[in-house]
Amino acid sequence: MYSSFAVPAVLSILEKRGRLFHGASLLGFALAFLSEAILMAGHPTPCLLEKKAHEVLGVTALLTAAFCVRWTVDPANSYARGLGLFCGALHGAIFILTGVWLGKFFSVPTETKKDGTVVASRRTWGPFDDSKKLDLTTEADIMMLHTLVALLVVMLGVVFILRLSCACQQRDAKLADGKLGEPDHAEEDHGLGA
């Protein structure tokens, strides 16, 4: 899954050297995200919380792939570019945060007293006791995942809206000055498409 993200890097180098068409690296990203979505959908897990996280990651990967294709087809479409970047950033943030959350914040008891007090525990990947093959996912765990994703959507959405607002103000200023068609060397393409 992760190695597929090397494809856009290679395509970007070839694109910059004039060996491939403009936008080939974006199609490489679309293929990498589509590959990830397929692997997330097919990854079996006995833990309900991990399964829900895979579903969310699969959807964000598919959205990112779709916007990358749209951005390639119409490089001037600033909405496709903005939404592609937004979905990619959202996908990465969810991937990292759920990985840290599932890997660090769950434990199962390994030793208990007769009164039920936990004496010792060990960390597990998500709320799943693999020694007993028991899923310990609660409704609160599912709600926490959905809350985490919703907060990330809002926080990253605000950042992207502010950034797009700045870009629109710069564009409007160039329109007013009559300099919109002139090349701007500060905004060079670095292999990410148009």
Side-chain angles (χ1 to χ4, degrees), residues 39-124:
L39 291 170
M40 284 290 174
H43 184 266
T45 176
C47 179
L48 179 61
L49 184 60
E50 188 178 1
K51 181 180 177 187
K52 291 290 185 187
H54 286 176
E55 290 171 2
V56 169
L57 288 167
V59 167
T60 57
L62 283 175
L63 286 171
T64 305
F67 286 121
C68 283
V69 170
R70 179 70 174 125
W71 185 4
T72 303
V73 171
D74 185 8
N77 188 333
S78 60
Y79 291 109
R81 180 180 183 166
L83 289 170
L85 291 172
F86 172 74
C87 289
L90 179 65
H91 178 80
I94 292 170
F95 198 91
I96 291 168
L97 289 176
T98 55
V100 169
W101 181 45
L102 288 172
K104 296 289 183 187
F105 296 102
F106 291 97
S107 60
V108 294
T110 56
E111 187 179 335
T112 56
K113 292 182 180 178
K114 291 183 181 182
D115 64 354
T117 307
V118 176
V119 176
S121 63
R122 63 179 171 77
R123 286 193 180 146
T124 63

Side-chain angles (χ1 to χ4, degrees), residues 3-172:
S3 61
S4 64
F5 285 94
V7 171
V10 171
L11 293 177
S12 178
I13 292 168
L14 294 173
E15 185 180 327
K16 279 297 188 188
R17 293 185 178 181
R19 306 261 176 151
L20 294 175
F21 64 94
H22 186 69
S25 58
L26 284 172
L27 289 180
F29 273 114
L31 291 173
F33 278 106
L34 182 60
S35 169
E36 184 174 356
I38 291 168
L39 291 170
M40 284 290 174
H43 184 266
T45 176
C47 179
L48 179 61
L49 184 60
E50 188 178 1
K51 181 180 177 187
K52 291 290 185 187
H54 286 176
E55 290 171 2
V56 169
L57 288 167
V59 167
T60 57
L62 283 175
L63 286 171
T64 305
F67 286 121
C68 283
V69 170
R70 179 70 174 125
W71 185 4
T72 303
V73 171
D74 185 8
N77 188 333
S78 60
Y79 291 109
R81 180 180 183 166
L83 289 170
L85 291 172
F86 172 74
C87 289
L90 179 65
H91 178 80
I94 292 170
F95 198 91
I96 291 168
L97 289 176
T98 55
V100 169
W101 181 45
L102 288 172
K104 296 289 183 187
F105 296 102
F106 291 97
S107 60
V108 294
T110 56
E111 187 179 335
T112 56
K113 292 182 180 178
K114 291 183 181 182
D115 64 354
T117 307
V118 176
V119 176
S121 63
R122 63 179 171 77
R123 286 193 180 146
T124 63
W125 179 256
F128 185 76
D129 186 350
D130 52 351
S131 64
K132 297 179 183 175
K133 304 294 184 215
L134 180 64
D135 186 7
L136 304 171
T137 302
T138 66
E139 186 176 325
D141 295 329
I142 300 293
M143 288 308 301
M144 182 68 118
L145 174 67
H146 289 209
T147 302
L148 173 72
V149 171
L151 287 173
L152 283 172
V153 167
V154 171
M155 289 187 317
L156 286 175
V158 167
V159 169
F160 269 82
I161 288 169
L162 291 174
R163 177 60 186 109
L164 288 175
S165 295
C166 291
C168 289
Q169 287 174 352
Q170 290 173 355
R171 182 197 62 208
D172 293 344

